[in-house]
Every structure is written in C-alpha cells, then in structure tokens.
C-alpha cells in the first residue's frame, strides 16, 4: 500500500510495497493495443492486440516522471522527482525542484535520513556507486557533485559549460559514471577525481537518458525528436574502442527511457525503450531489429522504464500512472500490459 503522502515531506516520491497487492478500487478492462511502424530495413509492420489488464485507482494525481525498482515486489515512483535506489536495501535518494537531495529509509522514520544541498539549480541526475558508499548528482547548473553517503558531505565538484545533465548512471564494478546531457553528448566521468574520462561523438538531438549494461561493457543513450526525426536509441561500446555499435529507430517522438533486459527475459540480448509516442519497443540488441511494439493507448508520453523482476517491466506515464508489463517468451517474444496503478 502507498504510504500516506500527508505524513511525509513533499519531496518524498510515492512508495508501493507490493506490486500485486490491491491498491485502491480494482477495475478490469479490455484494452486494444495497435501498432504500426517502419523497421530500419524499410519494412512496414502492423498488428492489433486485444487483452484484459487490471487497472487500479491511480496512485498519483498527476503525471509520473520516474519509476525505480527496490526489489522484485517493491518499487518507488515520483512525480517531478528523480530517484536512485541503494542496491540490496530499502534506502533510496530523491531529488526535486527545490535543488536538494533527500535520503529515505523505508525501515526507519517517515522523515528523510539525510538532506544534501549544494546545487544552484534543479537536480536532474542521481547515481549510487556499486558499493553504495558514494552518490553522484547532476544538475541544470552544469555541475556534478560527488557525495559520501555515510557522512552526507560533498567530497568533489566538477563543472562543464552548457552541460545540462539529464541523467546519470554508475558503471557496475567500476569507478565510472555515465552522463547524458542537453548539449547532445554522452560523457564518461572518472569518480576518483571527478574528471571527464571520455566524450562520445555528439548526436543531433538532446540525449534524454542513459543506461549501462549489467556486465559494464555497453551503454545505451536515447534522443529527443519529433515525427521520427531523432527519436532513436544508440548503443555504445564502453570498452577500449568506445564506438557507436548500433542504432534503434522506429519511435516517432522523443525516446525518454531505455533499459537492458536481463538474460532471463529472452533468448538473445535485448533492450527496451519507451517514448512520448505512448509505445514501448523491444529490440534485438545486436541487429537493431524491432522485435515487438506495445502501444499503451491513452497513457500519453511514457517517461521511465525499470526492470521489475525476471519477467516484468515497470513503465511510468503522464496520464495513467505506472504500468506493469510482462515479457512472454513462451512462443515468440511478446510484451503485455497486465496492470496499471
């Protein structure tokens, strides 16, 4: 059940303890999902799906900008917040437009455990180090700050002109932080001195999001755009070559989020993207072919994706809250909406 928001500070995102528990009035609706898209090879594909999904009373009264997974049955979602979870714990950080970052502990008080202040503008990126000892934050003030999680002290600060941060993520088992920016670039930072270690070739559109593969070898970024111009995701090699490997084109509006899917979800390496065109797409990571498109009609722009468990994805939207999507590989790879709250 969601924690009562009236007991918490405004910066605390909504928290849901069990994804499959009853969250308000349940409505079972028959939904029709249609899609039509052009693959990179020019082939037009279209299809119609009819399915029943469970729709609960909305947990949010406004749009949801981010969803993150704490465990297989626990997620955190935020309206205008940014969220970063501490691995294997019930602690997470949230950042809001008041320029501060708060640390929360679900097993403790309803008040924040820490408050970190140091940015001059809204905080737009959060990333926790693999060992949970450090937090990296980024802002529209062009700066990155590195924090000691134990003491709440800022230990390093760096700034790059026009580097309006859109997202941050930490490279697994490495001292590197990946960052996307409104200046259309992806930067790799070395946290040991908080210095830029590499800048990937500049794209044609704003880079809205970035994600690193679980083995730390690859990363994805996604682009803003409209009418199919831009609107792509790009796979980069994080190892010595650091080249662009593949592009995934087929969305018609800004791609807001991208994730690598676990090996348990498919027989091949796959990634998922969500976009402002209300679709979630699954792609063959190696070839760039679109394997499946799910249209969440009436949801408006889709803003965030997170892997829920070994078979599910969570997707945040403007108009219908958070969607639970199931990946089915029993025959051909399919994606189905099974619930929304």
């Amino acid at each position: 059940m969601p924690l009562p928001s009236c007991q918490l500070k405004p910066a605390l995102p909504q928290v849901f303890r069990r994804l499959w528990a009853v969250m308000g009035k349940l409505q079972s609706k028959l939904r029709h999902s249609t899609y039509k898209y052009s693959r990179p090879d020019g082939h037009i594909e279209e299809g119609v799906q009819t399915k029943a999904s469970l729709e609960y009373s909305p947990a949010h009264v406004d749009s949801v900008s981010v969803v993150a997974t704490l465990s297989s049955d626990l997620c955190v979602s935020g309206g205008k917040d940014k969220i970063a979870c501490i691995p294997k714990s019930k602690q997470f950080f949230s950042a809001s437009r008041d320029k501060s970052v708060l640390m929360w502990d679900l097993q403790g008080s309803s008040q924040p455990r820490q408050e970190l202040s140091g940015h001059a503008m809204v905080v737009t990126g959060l990333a926790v180090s693999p060992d949970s000892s450090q937090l990296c934050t980024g802002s529209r003030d062009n700066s990155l700050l590195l924090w000691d999680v134990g003491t709440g002290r800022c230990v390093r600060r760096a700034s790059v002109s026009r580097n309006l941060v859109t997202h941050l993520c930490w490279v697994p088992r490495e001292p590197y932080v990946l960052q996307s920016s409104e200046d259309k670039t992806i930067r790799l930072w070395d946290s040991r001195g908080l210095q830029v270690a590499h800048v990937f070739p500049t794209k044609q559109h704003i880079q809205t999001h970035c994600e690193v593969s679980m083995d730390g070898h690859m990363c994805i970024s996604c682009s803003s755009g409209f009418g199919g111009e831009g609107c792509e995701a790009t796979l980069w090699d994080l190892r010595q070559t650091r080249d662009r490997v593949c592009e995934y084109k087929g969305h018609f509006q800004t791609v807001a989020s991208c994730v690598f899917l676990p090996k348990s979800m498919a027989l091949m390496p796959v990634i998922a993207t969500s976009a402002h065109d209300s679709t979630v797409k699954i792609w063959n990571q190696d070839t760039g072919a679109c394997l499946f498109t799910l249209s969440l009609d009436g949801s408006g722009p889709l803003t965030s994706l997170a892997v829920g468990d070994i078979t599910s994805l969570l997707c945040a939207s403007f108009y219908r809250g958070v969607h639970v999507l199931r990946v089915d590989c029993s025959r051909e790879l399919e994606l189905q909406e099974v619930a929304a709250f």
Side-chain angles (χ1 to χ4, degrees):
M1 295 177 63
L3 297 177
S5 58
C6 60
Q7 298 177 4
L8 306 175
K9 285 190 173 182
L12 176 62
Q14 295 287 336
V15 179
F16 305 94
R17 289 195 173 275
R18 293 178 180 84
L19 298 182
W20 305 104
V22 175
M23 292 164 283
K25 183 179 178 182
L26 171 63
Q27 301 175 351
S28 182
K29 295 186 177 181
L30 193 65
R31 295 202 170 273
H32 302 271
S33 293
T34 62
Y35 61 86
K36 182 176 181 179
Y37 63 94
S38 299
R39 294 191 338 199
D41 58 11
H43 180 69
I44 304 288
E45 294 192 10
E46 58 183 318
V48 179
Q49 295 173 303
T50 302
K51 63 185 185 303
S53 66
L54 304 177
E55 185 159 356
Y56 301 89
S57 298
H60 288 264
V61 297
D62 205 344
S63 62
V64 183
S65 65
V66 65
V67 61
T69 303
L70 275 171
S71 65
S72 60
D73 66 347
L74 182 65
C75 73
V76 186
S77 59
K80 294 181 173 61
D81 307 280
K82 284 284 186 175
I83 296 169
C85 299
I86 297 180
K88 300 178 181 178
S89 77
K90 292 192 175 180
Q91 298 176 337
F92 64 95
F93 294 92
S94 69
S96 67
R97 299 185 68 85
D98 67 0
K99 311 171 193 176
S100 70
V101 176
L102 301 179
M103 180 182 179
W104 304 91
D105 190 338
L106 298 185
Q107 295 179 324
S109 167
S110 61
Q111 299 301 312
R113 183 172 170 179
Q114 285 183 350
E115 181 170 354
L116 312 177
S117 298
H119 285 288
M121 298 183 70
V122 56
V123 180
T124 49
L126 296 170
V128 181
S129 65
D131 64 1
S132 306
S133 67
Q134 294 181 309
L135 173 74
C136 188
T137 62
S139 168
R140 293 186 64 85
D141 63 9
N142 305 323
S143 71
L144 265 68
L145 303 183
L146 192 67
W147 306 83
D148 183 301
V149 171
T151 65
R153 186 171 62 90
C154 179
V155 294
R156 290 188 182 91
R157 178 188 296 265
S159 181
V160 175
S161 177
R162 300 183 181 180
N163 181 32
L164 279 71
V165 176
T166 57
H167 192 72
L168 292 172
C169 56
W170 212 291
V171 179
R173 299 175 296 278
E174 298 287 348
Y176 296 105
V177 179
L178 192 71
Q179 178 236 317
S180 55
S181 173
E182 286 192 14
D183 69 1
K184 307 176 185 177
T185 61
I186 303 294
R187 291 179 175 86
L188 188 66
W189 293 80
D190 188 334
S191 66
R192 291 168 294 191
L194 204 57
Q195 297 178 335
V196 177
H198 182 72
V199 180
F200 292 92
T202 303
K203 298 283 291 177
Q204 294 297 311
H205 295 79
I206 289 171
Q207 298 300 282
T208 59
H209 189 87
C210 59
E211 192 76 19
V212 179
S213 62
M214 286 166 274
D215 60 12
H217 295 165
M218 299 286 182
C219 68
I220 333 169
S221 66
C222 46
S223 299
S224 66
F226 185 77
E229 193 69 33
C231 313
E232 79 266 1
T234 305
L235 182 70
W236 307 91
D237 192 336
L238 274 176
R239 293 166 292 184
Q240 291 182 351
T241 58
R242 292 177 177 167
D243 291 334
R244 183 175 64 183
V245 178
C246 190
E247 286 203 323
Y248 311 92
K249 296 186 176 182
H251 284 291
F252 293 98
Q253 294 184 39
T254 291
V255 182
S257 187
C258 48
V259 293
F260 290 90
L261 299 189
K263 293 180 179 179
S264 59
M265 287 191 180
L267 299 176
M268 67 193 78
V270 289
I271 66 170
T273 56
S274 65
H276 289 184
D277 60 12
S278 302
T279 65
V280 178
K281 291 180 180 287
I282 296 181
W283 310 83
N284 184 312
Q285 179 179 312
D286 298 330
T287 68
C290 184
L291 304 175
F292 197 83
T293 296
L294 175 66
S295 179
L296 296 174
D297 299 329
S299 296
L302 304 181
T303 54
S304 178
L305 280 176
V307 175
D309 55 29
I310 59 173
T311 62
S312 68
L313 282 172
L314 303 174
C315 180
S317 68
F318 259 49
Y319 301 134
R320 287 184 54 224
V322 178
H323 307 260
V324 182
L325 312 177
R326 179 175 295 154
V327 180
D328 184 359
C329 296
S330 57
R331 296 187 299 274
E332 295 181 356
L333 191 147
E334 293 184 355
L335 189 63
Q336 299 177 344
E337 180 189 12
V338 294
F341 54 88

